[in-house]
């Protein structure tokens, strides 16, 4: 290879390197690695000023306990039958990449998780999806109790373009929620990415219509605070927050899964007719009233009109009877009789009286001691005084809804009473 060919190859290699630098914002390879991983966000400063890794488990537990204390400060009546519309802003602002990979992608992922969690905590409720695109609000799914249908419809319509119109979205959901019976709690959760709203009329009149119809509107912003969103939440009794990053956005969205306090006018007793349908035989053939097509096996039969439905809970399309199962009704009562928050055991108390406290979690039987037999964070039930780890604390309050220590003590008293 002569000198001319060598210089030509070196020149091509330099051009390729320049193109790579331009595509990556002029960052070197080691700089790109740190920029992608954002490793500095995983550090925190301790009391002595030294840097140490963030304990994600402790942070998660602290956030959970703050949410638990806020929910248990007072015994207030809550709405168990909720009708919620999730409004997703798919304007051009949703394509911004300050959330990775984009605002639209992050919102879609967390809305999917929220829908599943919402139906787990509110089995008697219904959800609908609305999108804002090109200044127009589109109803993606009607109110329903099937999480799979909502998630499938959302993932198939992830395109963003045009401006956002908050008034058009409020007018659309107001028309649907105005028809909800008086015992239903009307709610709107808006995930807003834009910094403005392009409306065809006076949005203040629309806000007053929502307030008059007792529609509780909450907004989670992905950009800066906007006056009209804050005014909407103040007028209708909703919540307005700005997401700082993706974990914060997830936390804000999941805060809307538990039932909110009931509005005063709705806090009166109502008797609601409900049906408990039987599951159809596996080999039976019937026309499903949900999809208007013949299906073989499965499904449920309405006890009033004998129509076939696919999933529970739902409302019979023929006679309008609310159809549920007994586990759905039982899960709804967890919000009426919540388990009391556990007390955090003071670290100084653990050090002084280490031998008097249990060394293993009462729930999972895992050790509560760190390496070197140093006590780790733990909580104790105020009734039975049993100690639990942080993971069991979250599992007991969010999934089990019963204290294993209290249940064990209650069952141990029953045989003794029979003997006496």
């Amino acid at each position: 290879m002569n000198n001319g060919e060598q210089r030509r190859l070196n020149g091509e290699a330099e051009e390729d390197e320049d193109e790579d630098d331009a595509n990556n914002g002029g960052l070197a390879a080691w700089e790109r690695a740190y920029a992608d991983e954002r490793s500095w966000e995983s550090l925190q400063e301790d009391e002595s000023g030294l840097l140490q890794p963030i304990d994600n488990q402790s942070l998660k537990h602290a956030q959970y306990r703050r949410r638990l204390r806020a929910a248990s400060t007072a015994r207030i009546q809550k709405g168990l039958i909720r009708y919620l519309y999730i409004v997703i802003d798919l304007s051009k602002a949703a394509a911004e990449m300050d959330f990775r990979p984009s605002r639209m992608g992050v919102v879609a992922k967390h809305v999917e998780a929220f829908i599943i969690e919402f139906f787990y905590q509110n089995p008697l409720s219904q959800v609908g999806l609305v999108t804002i695109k090109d200044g127009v609000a589109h109803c993606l799914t009607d109110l329903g109790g099937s999480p799979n249908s909502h998630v499938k419809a959302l993932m198939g319509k992830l395109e963003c373009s045009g401006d956002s119109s908050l008034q058009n979205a409020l007018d659309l959901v107001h028309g649907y929620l105005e028809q909800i019976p008086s015992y239903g709690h009307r709610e709107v959760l808006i995930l807003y990415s834009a910094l403005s709203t392009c409306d065809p009329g006076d949005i203040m009149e629309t806000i007053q219509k929502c307030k008059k119809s007792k529609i509780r509107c909450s907004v989670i912003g992905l950009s800066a605070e906007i006056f009209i969103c804050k005014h909407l939440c103040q007028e209708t009794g909703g919540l307005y927050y700005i997401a700082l990053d993706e974990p914060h956005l997830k936390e804000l969205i999941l805060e809307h899964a538990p039932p909110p306090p009931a509005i005063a006018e709705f806090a009166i007793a109502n008797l609601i007719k409900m049906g408990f349908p039987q599951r159809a035989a596996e080999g039976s053939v019937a026309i499903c009233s949900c999809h208007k097509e013949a299906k073989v096996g499965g499904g449920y039969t309405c006890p009033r009109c004998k129509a076939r439905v696919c999933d529970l809970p739902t409302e019979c399309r023929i006679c309008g009877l609310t159809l549920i199962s007994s586990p759905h009704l039982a899960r709804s009562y967890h919000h009426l009789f919540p388990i009391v928050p556990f007390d955090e055991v003071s670290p100084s108390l653990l050090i002084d009286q280490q031998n008097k406290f249990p060394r293993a979690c009462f729930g999972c039987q895992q050790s509560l001691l760190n390496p070197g037999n140093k006590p780790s964070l733990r909580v104790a039930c105020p009734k039975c005084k049993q100690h639990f780890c942080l993971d069991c604390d979250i599992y007991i309050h969010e999934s089990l809804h019963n204290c294993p220590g209290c249940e064990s003590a209650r069952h141990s008293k029953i045989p003794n009473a029979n003997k006496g």
Side-chain angles (χ1 to χ4, degrees), residues 16 50 67 76 110 151 162 176 196 215 228 281 323 341 382 400 419:
D16 293 340
L50 301 176
R67 191 166 65 246
I76 53 179
H110 292 306
V151 172
Y176 290 128
S196 61
I215 299 176
I228 194 63
L323 304 177
L400 193 60
K419 290 179 182 179

Side-chain angles (χ1 to χ4, degrees), residues 59-198:
L59 284 179
K60 179 182 177 183
H61 183 72
Q63 294 171 354
Y64 150 75
R65 293 194 67 80
R66 285 198 302 270
R67 191 166 65 246
L68 194 65
R69 289 194 189 99
S72 59
T73 51
R75 294 298 299 273
I76 53 179
Q77 186 170 346
K78 296 184 177 182
L80 299 184
I81 302 180
R82 305 167 62 188
Y83 294 87
L84 170 68
Y85 266 104
I86 304 175
V87 179
I88 303 175
D89 180 11
L90 293 183
S91 63
K92 59 185 178 182
E96 295 290 336
M97 299 178 65
D98 48 354
F99 288 77
R100 298 169 57 188
S102 66
R103 294 179 182 178
M104 177 182 64
V106 170
V107 166
K109 180 177 69 173
H110 292 306
V111 166
E112 178 182 1
F114 169 76
I115 290 174
I116 297 173
E117 180 67 18
F118 178 87
F119 282 113
Y120 178 79
Q121 296 197 34
N122 307 271
L124 305 181
S125 303
Q126 297 185 30
V127 167
L129 295 179
V130 170
T131 59
I132 311 174
K133 186 191 304 183
D134 296 321
V136 181
H138 304 272
C139 183
L140 202 58
T141 59
D142 294 325
L143 289 171
S146 175
N148 294 331
S149 62
H150 295 303
V151 172
K152 185 178 179 181
L154 175 62
M155 294 306 172
K157 296 290 185 180
L158 288 181
E159 298 177 356
C160 51
S161 62
D163 297 322
S164 181
S165 176
L166 191 60
Q167 183 184 11
N168 285 336
L170 292 176
D171 283 333
L172 182 64
V173 297
H174 176 267
Y176 290 128
L177 292 177
E178 197 178 22
Q179 307 170 15
I180 297 301
S182 60
Y183 59 79
H185 293 261
R186 308 161 185 174
E187 301 174 47
V188 179
L189 175 60
I190 303 173
L191 304 174
Y192 208 68
S193 298
L195 280 171
S196 61
T197 173
C198 184

Side-chain angles (χ1 to χ4, degrees), residues 37-56:
E37 296 174 2
R38 293 178 174 268
S39 56
W40 60 85
E41 294 183 355
S42 300
L43 297 175
Q44 65 180 358
E45 191 173 341
D46 60 9
E47 297 177 354
S48 59
L50 301 176
L51 294 178
Q52 62 179 6
I54 294 177
D55 188 355
N56 291 324

Side-chain angles (χ1 to χ4, degrees), residues 381-400:
C381 175
K383 294 183 179 179
C384 65
K385 307 302 180 182
Q386 296 292 349
H387 286 212
F388 298 92
C389 64
L390 303 186
D391 290 334
C392 285
D393 182 22
I394 296 175
Y395 175 72
I396 289 171
H397 285 87
E398 294 191 349
S399 300
L400 193 60

